Amino acid sequence: MSGRPSSGEIGGDGRFRLSTYEPGDGAKPGKYSVTVTSYQVPDDGPTYNSLEDELQGKPSNAPKPSIARSKTPQATWLIPKKYSNRSTSDLAVEVTGGGEDIELALSSSP
């Protein structure tokens, strides 16, 4: 599966709208591997320079190594973490270009 990636934010109702070139323009027709990232960080949690740093637990405002890391608030995953990585997510969809809704069925089993 190849092509231009799309991304979007998940709303409180679980719905999402993808963007490829401009906000809300959807995904181009084709077959896609899908990743989903959904977690909650306490308000006093760390900040990150990128999503990759966040997934790897590398905050930009990290305490110096001499300070215990256990004091850094941890993110609570709202979905199984396996869906956040292309190598472990088993989700795939085909977009036909008709503006249809696509339902993603996430399972908590490994």
Side-chain angles (χ1 to χ4, degrees):
M1 296 180 205
S2 63
R4 185 164 181 96
S6 298
S7 64
E9 291 188 22
I10 302 169
D13 61 356
R15 296 177 65 84
F16 58 93
R17 177 128 181 113
L18 295 176
S19 300
T20 301
Y21 298 102
E22 297 179 14
D25 65 352
K28 294 181 72 168
K31 293 181 180 182
Y32 292 88
S33 295
V34 178
T35 59
V36 180
T37 304
S38 183
Y39 54 87
Q40 186 173 24
V41 178
D43 288 341
D44 59 344
T47 58
Y48 300 90
N49 291 325
S50 69
L51 176 60
E52 290 174 7
D53 285 352
E54 189 169 356
L55 291 173
Q56 294 175 8
K58 297 179 182 177
S60 61
N61 62 344
K64 294 183 179 181
S66 61
I67 298 174
R69 290 181 181 232
S70 63
K71 294 182 181 181
T72 302
Q74 297 297 311
T76 301
W77 285 86
L78 303 176
I79 61 167
K81 193 174 178 180
K82 74 175 191 172
Y83 293 113
S84 69
N85 186 308
R86 285 190 332 189
S87 65
T88 56
S89 176
D90 55 2
L91 297 173
V93 298
E94 183 168 2
V95 175
T96 61
E100 70 277 5
D101 285 349
I102 294 175
E103 184 175 322
L104 300 174
L106 308 181
S107 171
S108 60
S109 61

